[in-house]
Amino acid sequence: MDIHEYQAKEILSNFGVAVPTGALAYSPEQAAYRARELGGDKWIVKAQIHAGGRGKAGGVKLCSSEGEIYEACNALFGRKLVTHQTGAEGKGIYRVYVESAVPIDREIYLGFVLDRTSQRVMIVASSEGGMEIEDISAEKPDSIVRSTVEPAVGLQEFQAREIAFQLGLEPGLIQQMVRTLQGCYAAFSELDATMVEINPLVITGDKRVLALDAKMSFDDNALFRHPQISELRDKSQEDPRESRAADRGLSYVGLDGNIGCIVNGAGLAMATMDTIKLAGGEPANFLDIGGGASPERVTKAFRLVLSDDNVQAILVNIFAGINRCDWVAEGVVQALRELQIDIPVVVRLAGTNVEEGQKILAKSGLPIIRATSLMEAAERAVRAWQNDLTQNTKMRAV
Ligand code: GDP
Ligand code: MN
């Protein structure tokens, strides 16, 4: 799960990371009021969206009067900001963050990521802040400092000092940098983050180390341990199909094809998508309905898959271990009756209670296309989608 910049700054600040003073606003009037409260004569108005690259896309504006704040806000609120990270559709701006502008001497890149090779948290830093890390690694690879943290002892002071020295910070700034690094690491590990990125981390004219931008992502599977983080979820920034799925406890990723997939288990879902492609089709989604899927859950899954207008055939592939084929079959029958589905539905069941499951499908009298192997199921789904099977559908009705 991603959060907004202002939320990440509040979290990091609680862990001892210094951030500029700022305030959130939901309207231009509120932004102007917030700027007056902050005082000073220069402010930065920043669109709050779940994506970077805002600066280049016009989502970060320097203002020196109340009039300019209104002007900046009117250009942002209610619009969609398209950056190189949002995709062509962009992300809606419903909140802006107003900060006191600070004079910048130097910009540093700082990131904390999970490195799968070393199975450790890796700190990535560069003296070339302000640029995207991808560009830094392409253009100035030598400026990148990497350091992995031993989880048993956490980020040690000497290690943090070493990073600060490698970035070429002057002695007077080392202690502030160590505090920043340790704060970020503590936030990362205590809150089950998957990413913390501060770009840029700046050295101000008056020799302070400040996080001018902040990005944090969290491990969805650990959110149950952090209700205060879960509350920060902003559905306006998510793919509506994916947030509907998350609300229903289903793991869904929307894709561009025509064959909707309802599968239990992430591995089987991946294999199903591969097999559909092998059979000449394109999957419309990844969907893992999980173990112990009740008929209600299966119906919900159908509803979700059908909410995508591109879906022209559905493939249900269940390998029941914890699951029970009879429950899934009941769910399929219930869904087909309730939702009046008029596209071909292919069902392949295997595992626990498979005979009962097949009987339920057979007794229903519904035009369900059955298959025994995954390959056969994928081929039938693809053929059904290509309409070759439209006539056969009725004949095969079980
Ligand atoms: P991003 O483009 O989405 O990563 O947004 P950032 O928060 O990184 O802002 C983009 C750029 O705006 C930064 O790299 C800075 O150069 C500039 N910027 C942001 N806040 C300030 C500020 O307080 N003072 C000055 N001088 N520049 C700022
Ligand atoms: Mn940035």
Side-chain angles (χ1 to χ4, degrees):
M1 188 188 85
D2 296 334
I3 60 172
H4 287 294
E5 172 198 1
Y6 77 93
Q7 296 165 332
K9 280 179 168 164
E10 188 180 334
I11 291 171
L12 292 173
S13 148
N14 288 333
F15 281 89
V17 177
V19 296
T21 46
L24 186 71
Y26 290 92
S27 68
E29 294 72 26
Q30 206 179 5
Y33 178 79
R34 292 302 199 189
R36 268 201 305 280
E37 264 183 343
L38 288 169
D41 55 6
K42 278 203 169 37
W43 304 272
I44 304 277
V45 174
K46 308 180 83 176
Q48 297 299 292
I49 58 164
H50 285 184
R54 297 164 302 166
K56 284 195 189 110
V60 177
K61 296 183 191 286
L62 175 67
C63 305
S64 352
S65 68
E66 194 169 310
E68 284 180 20
I69 289 181
Y70 272 103
E71 207 176 305
C73 287
N74 288 331
L76 296 175
F77 274 110
R79 302 281 170 83
K80 292 220 163 186
L81 189 63
V82 180
T83 81
H84 69 275
Q85 290 187 7
T86 58
E89 68 283 4
K91 287 197 187 273
I93 306 169
Y94 306 103
R95 310 172 192 189
V96 303
Y97 194 48
V98 185
E99 279 184 337
S100 306
V102 291
I104 302 172
D105 255 9
R106 248 191 93 178
E107 296 190 324
I108 290 167
Y109 174 91
L110 181 60
F112 290 69
V113 288
L114 274 176
D115 176 44
R116 286 167 201 278
T117 313
S118 62
Q119 303 181 9
R120 299 274 189 277
V121 174
M122 183 186 268
I123 302 173
V124 181
S126 164
S127 46
E128 303 291 326
M131 287 160 78
E132 305 294 329
I133 188 66
E134 293 82 3
D135 299 333
I136 301 175
S137 75
E139 292 167 31
K140 303 257 173 99
D142 297 341
S143 75
I144 299 179
V145 174
R146 291 185 181 82
S147 184
T148 51
V149 183
E150 165 56 50
V153 295
L155 178 63
Q156 296 290 294
E157 266 197 54
F158 79 87
Q159 193 181 356
R161 271 198 301 274
E162 212 165 69
I163 297 168
F165 287 130
Q166 283 174 300
L167 290 170
L169 292 188
E170 55 187 87
L173 295 171
I174 302 289
Q175 207 37 48
Q176 286 188 61
M177 187 64 190
V178 168
R179 196 174 142 87
T180 303
L181 287 164
Q182 290 195 311
C184 290
Y185 178 76
F188 189 109
S189 59
E190 282 176 34
L191 299 174
D192 291 305
T194 52
M195 194 264 296
V196 172
E197 187 186 61
I198 301 182
N199 188 24
L201 177 74
V202 301
I203 313 298
T204 63
D206 55 353
K207 302 290 172 218
R208 286 179 299 149
V209 176
L210 270 190
L212 216 64
D213 189 9
K215 233 172 146 181
M216 284 184 89
S217 299
F218 298 89
D219 181 351
D220 291 342
N221 296 314
L223 281 176
F224 73 97
R225 299 205 287 207
H226 308 289
Q228 79 284 18
I229 302 293
S230 308
E231 276 175 19
L232 302 180
R233 188 169 156 210
D234 179 358
K235 290 187 196 169
S236 79
Q237 302 293 310
E238 298 173 357
D239 178 333
R241 295 180 299 181
E242 287 171 22
S243 28
R244 264 200 305 273
D247 288 343
R248 292 168 172 79
L250 301 164
S251 169
Y252 175 95
V253 180
L255 301 165
D256 302 327
N258 317 91
I259 299 179
C261 305
I262 296 176
V263 188
N264 70 313
L268 190 62
M270 299 294 279
T272 305
M273 289 160 52
D274 283 350
T275 315
I276 287 174
K277 282 196 124 171
L278 192 64
E282 289 289 336
N285 65 279
F286 166 96
L287 173 57
D288 172 11
I289 60 169
S294 61
E296 287 69 34
R297 212 170 150 85
V298 176
T299 312
K300 278 183 196 164
F302 266 94
R303 227 180 239 126
L304 183 69
V305 168
L306 287 166
S307 69
D308 178 352
D309 291 337
N310 290 330
V311 171
Q312 288 161 4
I314 292 182
L315 170 50
V316 181
N317 183 24
I318 301 295
F319 189 90
I322 306 168
N323 253 320
R324 291 174 40 179
C325 288
D326 50 335
W327 284 5
V328 174
E330 268 170 31
V332 171
V333 170
Q334 197 173 308
L336 262 66
R337 293 218 166 104
E338 270 179 36
L339 308 176
Q340 284 155 12
I341 297 168
D342 53 6
I343 56 172
V345 175
V346 180
V347 180
R348 181 245 175 172
L349 299 173
T352 311
N353 293 355
V354 64
E355 290 84 8
E356 286 90 326
Q358 299 292 14
K359 267 186 219 151
I360 291 166
L361 295 183
K363 265 200 232 148
S364 73
L366 290 162
I368 297 164
I369 305 167
R370 286 195 282 167
T372 41
S373 74
L374 173 51
M375 195 63 225
E376 185 190 13
E379 277 166 359
R380 291 202 169 161
V382 172
R383 261 188 286 156
W385 161 58
Q386 291 165 336
N387 285 330
D388 292 353
L389 267 179
T390 29
Q391 279 187 316
N392 275 352
T393 310
K394 297 221 163 52
M395 277 167 48
R396 281 182 190 280
V398 285

